[in-house]
Amino acid sequence: MSGKKIASIALASLFLLPSLTALSGCNRGGEIVLRVYNWEEYIDEGGKGAFIYDELHLEDGEESDIVDDGYRAWYEETMRTPLSEDGPAILDDFCLWYEAEYGQKIRVEYSTFGTNEDMYNEIVLGNEYDLLCPSDYMIMKLAAEGRLERYDDGRDENGEPDGSYDFFDPALPNNYYVRNVSPFIAEKFANNAGLEVRNDENGKPITWQDYAAGYMWGTTGFVYNPNPTDRAGNPILFKDADGETTDLGTLLASIGWEAFTEPQFKGKVTAKDNVRDTYFAALGVKYQEELLTLTQQFAGGSLDKQGYTDKITGIFNATDEKTISEVEPVLMDIKKNIYGWETDTGKADMVKGNVYLNYAWSGDAVYALDLGEDAEDEDGYIELNYYVPEAGSNLWFDGWVMPKGANKQAAQAFVNFLSMPQNAMRNSYYIGYTSVIAGEEQEMLAYADYLYGEEESEDDFYDLSYFFGAETGTVGIYADEAQRTCRQLYAQFPTPDVIERCAVMDYYDEQASVRINELWSRVKAETLDAWAIVVISVSVLAIAAFIVVAKFGGKIDFFRAKPKKGYKLVKQETVR
Amino acid sequence: MKIPHFSRKTLCIPYAVFLIFFVIIPMLVIVFYAFTDKNMHISLGNFIRFFSDPTKLSTIVYSLVIALITTVICLLIAYPVAYILARSKMKRKFVILLLFVLPMWINFVLRVNALRELFNLLSSLQGMDWLASSNYFKTVFGMVYDFLPFMILPIYTTMLKIDPSLYEASRDLGAGAATTFLRITVPLSMPGIMSGVTMVFLPSMTNYVVSDMLGNAKVTIIGKFIYEYFGTDWHMGSMVALVLLVVVFVSTWLTGGFSSEENVRGANL
């Protein structure tokens, strides 16, 4: 076979490959395929550790409060299947529900990603999905770049109602999302358009709500060990600014973001190994004073709520050159002071006592706190707490979006299915994060009460009215002081004042993105002094030169000794 | 029935297709990305940005140093082991060889994780505090631990091939043990050394799993650099990858990797 032929076969297969993969993605034999691309470990997978299994297998033959007859009845009515003792996975249940509800077989192709950027790259490369779960800033980026389908709003291009499916119509029986979503979240999604208003192709300003339905939300803060001990088991004491002895919790509350650069925490605090979260944290360290002043102004009434939110959002999203040059030394200080950059080892390092503080997302914090409770040591268990800096932090949302070309009907059905309060509980329980679902009948309140509730007592009221869209002071649960101030409840359902002082991330435009990436690469890079670079380069070159001489020296006249008088130089090859 | 006849050329087709799809095209894509900007216009911007940034250069140099140290330590450990094993008349020496190679059969991430836990345990002991923050030491240790078999095996196989009569001849001609070692063993085991060096040197410049897990991601080697850039800026990532490629190419060329002499590559695994 000639070379030409080989080349043409290769070319032909090059064109064949994409069409082959395209075939596998569509409707075959009456079965729909829903391609879901979600974060790793971000959905109920059934079995041990899942809500239903754990409730069905309580110790000592206890009766479950939540998975009672009502829950069982709901499950069997919704999935049209008896509740399995093995703990069903939510994706399987969706297929059962969808087939029963819409009369068509469906299969979920579920894959996962580790970072928003990984997911974005996959989409840009042309991988096709029906449903993605990016975070706030990435939702905005995808929407602004025109990569997303809008949720159906029952209107035609001119905004006139045309009788088509409306995802936001609470009257339709299967529209669980719009009926159950927390009013607080719905308001955020309806109004958040990022730092600046961006328009879609029709010139309409974009908000999250057009393109995304919420899934999970939370804050970022520090998981900390309030009572760290040394090897001998003696408590470690810290000194505050006045030189007074204090404990870790008090010190942390007084220094806030500066925990990253606090010399007493040297080698005992971790930062995130990604530029978005760590740059955000460094801004917090750098501008803590300004942020605290703003908080005081807001508390004193000289700044209204909108103005306050705009100002802190501006500070936490600043990417201009001046800010970057101011933050760079802070990042270098952070690098010197921390134990390490981590992506998922922080929780284990906290429980093992390798570090005292771990910068974490609220859901991971809940997970770390749970791990600590499970870990056995001499004092019973390891107490860990969660703290959101006084100066403000990050308020984040993950939501479901449909990329262009998605099967909108099945994708929206999936979102609605996950938005049933019973399913929201399952997901929330499994992954430790907080669902955006409140429930039509405030079902999630019962869930929070079931997890953290205590005997009723006037002083122990934890107000969750904002989340359920009720008047302040009317809806909430009774929990002990630790839960209300520094433990799982506080992490999962932040207090209204925590939310007020938190800012949502916006995406970086192209130039800002280049600046931030370069900054990050400088921070992560190994720094060598100029003389060290010169010394090392020279020695490497010397070694290289030595090898070259040793290898080829004999073949080059220049390196060869002059022949003695009366002898003639001959080529080495002939001598061999 | 006619037996289908495959000519030599026909049999080459699968290999050619493989080469085109998994070697040549990806390589061209990397070169293309390295010399284009965000709008896919040809640009030298990445090239200039890379070589005018001291932090990037020092990361490469650092990476080189870490890889060099790892390689030298591996060689110092592996050479005596291979020498003793190859020369000894032990009956079951393959058992010892197996013990060195066995870890390769256990999942790599698992081993690194175990090492991480071991270091954590050690650093909590009296007087071992320094271990917790010595990320470079732990990284190099982990790399030596992981890549040692790749050094031992090729050296061992080349040494097995050395004809024992050469040692006898050397002894007969009056050479002492040291001379025999320097003039017979070392030169003849050179191909094995070279092959071992390439197999240890290259992964220790790029295997950032070790540096992330044991060095708490505070040690940045060039592989990690490439990985991070590919999260956000493919063009710069490709440029770094290309620079690494050149470094590798030059070092392979210098160590005789491209020589077609039979015995040079013979020891490769």
Side-chain angles (χ1 to χ4, degrees):
Chain A
M1 195 183 271
S2 71
K4 243 184 190 172
K5 243 180 182 172
I6 296 179
S8 63
I9 288 176
L11 264 179
S13 47
L14 182 70
F15 292 120
L16 259 173
L17 273 173
S19 58
L20 277 175
T21 49
L23 264 180
S24 65
C26 67
N27 187 347
R28 260 187 324 199
E31 187 186 60
I32 309 175
V33 176
L34 181 72
R35 294 153 303 180
V36 180
Y37 199 33
N38 193 8
W39 293 86
E40 285 155 10
E41 293 178 39
Y42 214 45
I43 202 161
D44 172 276
E45 289 168 23
K48 233 179 188 154
F51 187 58
I52 293 182
Y53 183 95
D54 284 4
E55 286 302 312
L56 289 174
H57 297 80
L58 285 178
E59 280 170 30
D60 314 324
E62 268 181 73
E63 285 289 309
S64 163
D65 297 340
I66 288 254
V67 184
D68 56 8
D69 296 340
Y71 194 95
R72 187 182 289 273
W74 164 81
Y75 183 90
E76 295 181 351
E77 193 192 334
T78 311
M79 318 305 168
R80 277 81 157 175
T81 317
L83 182 56
S84 148
E85 293 289 309
D86 305 331
I90 217 160
L91 289 176
D92 299 336
D93 287 347
F94 167 71
C95 297
L96 295 171
W97 174 78
Y98 187 88
E99 195 184 341
E101 208 63 39
Y102 297 95
Q104 193 162 21
K105 267 198 176 309
I106 194 164
R107 185 162 56 85
V108 178
E109 261 176 26
Y110 186 78
S111 40
T112 58
F113 56 85
T115 67
N116 278 307
E117 285 68 27
D118 286 353
M119 187 240 10
Y120 178 79
N121 282 339
E122 288 281 302
I123 299 305
V124 173
L125 277 179
N127 276 313
E128 290 176 351
Y129 297 99
D130 296 306
L131 212 49
L132 316 167
C133 189
S135 306
D136 33 44
Y137 72 93
M138 191 50 85
I139 294 176
M140 211 57 212
K141 185 177 166 78
L142 289 167
E145 290 177 359
R147 296 185 193 276
L148 300 182
E149 296 276 0
R150 295 176 83 96
Y151 274 79
D152 289 327
D153 56 2
R155 287 162 197 278
D156 59 15
E157 287 102 57
N158 305 320
E160 298 298 321
D162 62 355
S164 60
Y165 173 69
D166 181 1
F167 183 76
F168 301 100
D169 181 0
L172 292 175
N174 280 340
N175 277 355
Y176 292 98
Y177 177 76
V178 70
R179 282 201 301 271
N180 289 311
V181 68
S182 152
F184 160 73
I185 303 286
E187 189 270 327
K188 285 275 175 199
F189 272 62
N191 294 329
N192 200 310
L195 273 185
E196 52 184 287
V197 178
R198 299 180 177 95
N199 295 325
D200 63 6
E201 55 261 60
N202 302 326
K204 263 182 70 188
I206 298 173
T207 61
W208 287 348
Q209 185 179 267
D210 302 331
Y211 295 95
Y215 184 45
M216 297 285 162
W217 69 287
T219 54
T220 56
F222 290 100
V223 177
Y224 65 97
N225 184 341
N227 310 303
T229 53
D230 62 11
R231 280 186 307 273
N234 304 317
I236 292 169
L237 295 173
F238 299 90
K239 291 224 179 327
D240 63 12
D242 306 325
E244 300 285 327
T245 306
T246 179
D247 62 289
L248 197 149
T250 320
L251 177 63
L252 179 62
S254 67
I255 59 174
W257 283 109
E258 279 166 19
F260 279 119
T261 50
E262 168 61 44
Q264 294 181 78
F265 296 153
K266 189 169 170 60
K268 293 294 178 190
V269 52
T270 64
K272 285 261 168 252
D273 194 7
N274 76 64
V275 62
R276 295 262 4 169
D277 289 307
T278 303
Y279 182 67
F280 191 96
L283 285 165
V285 178
K286 177 73 197 171
Y287 301 112
Q288 178 146 273
E289 303 263 305
E290 282 95 318
L291 290 163
L292 285 172
T293 316
L294 287 173
T295 316
Q296 277 157 13
Q297 283 174 3
F298 173 59
S302 58
L303 197 61
D304 67 340
K305 191 175 173 187
Q306 191 57 43
Y308 176 58
T309 309
D310 288 348
K311 282 217 160 114
I312 53 171
T313 309
I315 290 180
F316 276 120
N317 283 294
T319 53
D320 54 287
E321 266 167 54
K322 181 173 162 284
T323 310
I324 288 181
S325 62
E326 279 177 3
V327 167
E328 185 162 352
V330 176
L331 278 166
M332 292 301 179
D333 289 345
I334 292 177
K335 180 183 177 178
K336 277 193 208 103
N337 204 49
I338 57 171
Y339 171 76
W341 311 99
E342 57 93 24
T343 38
D344 55 5
T345 52
K347 292 166 256 182
D349 279 333
M350 281 303 299
V351 174
K352 284 182 199 133
N354 295 335
V355 292
Y356 305 154
L357 298 116
N358 167 223
Y359 183 60
W361 297 295
S362 48
D364 275 5
V366 171
Y367 188 85
L369 265 55
D370 289 347
L371 267 186
E373 281 176 12
D374 294 342
E376 293 280 330
D377 75 349
E378 300 94 64
D379 313 322
Y381 70 92
I382 298 159
E383 189 192 340
L384 301 178
N385 290 341
Y386 180 69
Y387 166 75
V388 179
E390 221 57 57
S393 186
N394 178 215
L395 181 66
W396 57 263
F397 303 90
D398 288 342
W400 294 109
V401 300
M402 299 174 285
K404 278 256 157 25
N407 179 344
K408 288 173 77 172
Q409 190 275 332
Q412 289 172 120
F414 187 78
V415 173
N416 276 322
F417 178 76
L418 293 188
S419 302
M420 296 178 190
Q422 294 87 342
N423 286 334
M425 278 179 213
R426 290 166 74 183
N427 283 330
S428 198
Y429 181 91
Y430 194 85
I431 65 181
Y433 283 78
T434 317
S435 171
V436 300
I437 299 301
E440 221 176 338
E441 312 285 334
Q442 303 181 345
E443 285 93 337
M444 293 306 272
L445 187 68
Y447 173 70
D449 189 42
Y450 147 79
L451 287 178
Y452 309 115
E454 290 276 312
E455 293 285 308
E456 209 162 307
S457 136
E458 281 307 309
D459 304 335
D460 295 344
F461 187 69
Y462 192 71
D463 193 5
L464 293 171
S465 310
Y466 77 93
F467 187 70
F468 293 95
E471 213 160 293
T472 309
T474 54
V475 179
I477 63 169
Y478 297 93
D480 65 23
E481 197 191 346
Q483 285 295 352
R484 282 182 285 128
T485 53
C486 58
R487 291 190 57 77
Q488 285 98 329
L489 176 60
Y490 170 78
Q492 256 192 344
F493 293 96
T495 55
D497 60 302
V498 166
I499 289 174
E500 264 161 11
R501 62 177 195 250
C502 284
V504 179
M505 278 189 202
D506 200 1
Y507 79 89
Y508 306 148
D509 62 34
E510 203 133 292
Q511 283 158 342
S513 166
V514 169
R515 284 199 293 270
I516 299 278
N517 290 339
E518 285 305 305
L519 168 73
W520 185 239
S521 107
R522 286 198 296 276
V523 171
K524 289 303 292 293
E526 302 293 343
T527 37
L528 279 176
D529 292 337
W531 64 266
I533 296 185
V534 171
V535 167
I536 295 172
S537 321
V538 165
S539 38
V540 167
L541 282 179
I543 295 172
F546 176 77
I547 296 176
V548 169
V549 170
K551 205 170 148 80
F552 307 108
K555 294 176 192 158
I556 306 171
D557 287 349
F558 179 79
F559 294 112
R560 208 179 289 173
K562 285 255 161 63
K564 279 182 194 161
K565 243 191 172 152
Y567 290 86
K568 219 176 97 188
L569 186 76
V570 284
K571 289 277 173 218
Q572 199 172 13
E573 280 77 3
T574 51
V575 177
R576 265 190 188 172
Chain B
M1 200 182 99
K2 199 182 159 197
I3 299 166
H5 174 76
F6 291 110
S7 74
R8 214 177 271 185
K9 272 183 185 165
T10 335
L11 289 171
C12 279
I13 292 176
Y15 188 57
V17 169
F18 180 85
L19 274 185
I20 290 168
F21 277 105
F22 296 102
V23 180
I24 296 174
I25 293 181
M27 210 76 102
L28 291 177
V29 171
I30 285 189
V31 174
F32 174 75
Y33 266 99
F35 290 102
T36 46
D37 61 14
K38 278 250 186 274
N39 307 318
M40 296 296 173
H41 296 312
I42 300 294
S43 137
L44 279 176
N46 296 319
F47 187 80
I48 294 164
R49 245 166 68 210
F50 185 91
F51 283 100
S52 59
D53 185 351
T55 60
K56 291 196 180 64
L57 291 177
S58 46
T59 304
I60 291 230
V61 171
Y62 230 115
S63 214
L64 268 171
V65 170
I66 288 182
L68 262 176
I69 295 174
T70 307
T71 314
V72 168
I73 297 176
C74 276
L75 187 61
L76 289 179
I77 301 175
Y79 203 83
V81 171
Y83 183 73
I84 294 165
L85 280 180
R87 295 291 309 274
S88 81
K89 304 227 160 39
M90 259 187 293
K91 248 189 180 169
R92 304 222 181 278
K93 61 184 173 191
F94 77 91
V95 177
I96 298 179
L97 186 70
L98 203 67
L99 285 179
F100 277 102
V101 182
L102 204 63
M104 282 206 311
W105 302 347
I106 297 168
N107 183 290
F108 159 76
V109 179
L110 197 68
R111 274 181 293 137
V112 178
N113 229 329
L115 204 56
R116 182 184 149 84
E117 292 307 314
L118 213 60
F119 277 130
N120 281 340
L121 199 71
L122 281 176
S123 56
S124 68
L125 294 179
Q126 197 78 40
M128 296 286 277
D129 300 329
W130 57 273
L131 198 57
S133 57
S134 34
N135 296 317
Y136 292 97
F137 169 78
K138 288 190 282 188
T139 303
V140 170
F141 191 101
M143 285 186 176
V144 169
Y145 167 69
D146 264 314
F147 303 138
L148 189 59
F150 296 103
M151 188 65 100
I152 294 183
L153 275 183
I155 300 182
Y156 173 74
T157 30
T158 30
M159 281 196 178
L160 273 186
K161 279 191 201 154
I162 300 176
D163 189 347
S165 56
L166 288 174
Y167 300 121
E168 287 160 23
S170 159
R171 190 74 57 81
D172 286 348
L173 294 170
T179 317
T180 309
F181 178 75
L182 286 176
R183 304 296 287 268
I184 305 284
T185 320
V186 173
L188 285 178
S189 61
M190 217 48 187
I193 295 178
M194 284 308 172
S195 148
V197 164
T198 13
M199 273 193 288
V200 172
F201 186 73
L202 303 185
S204 41
M205 278 186 79
T206 50
N207 196 326
Y208 62 87
V209 176
V210 179
S211 58
D212 267 11
M213 285 173 84
L214 297 176
N216 292 319
K218 277 183 122 178
V219 178
T220 304
I221 58 175
I222 190 164
K224 172 82 175 184
F225 228 49
I226 297 173
Y227 166 78
E228 290 209 323
Y229 266 116
F230 268 91
T232 49
D233 181 357
W234 286 33
H235 303 274
M236 196 64 200
S238 301
M239 179 48 79
V240 185
L242 203 63
V243 170
L244 177 67
L245 197 76
V246 171
V247 171
V248 169
F249 186 87
V250 169
S251 55
T252 316
W253 176 67
L254 285 179
T255 53
F258 300 124
S259 167
S260 54
E261 281 170 57
E262 209 180 293
N263 64 339
V264 173
R265 290 276 102 176
N268 222 328
L269 278 179

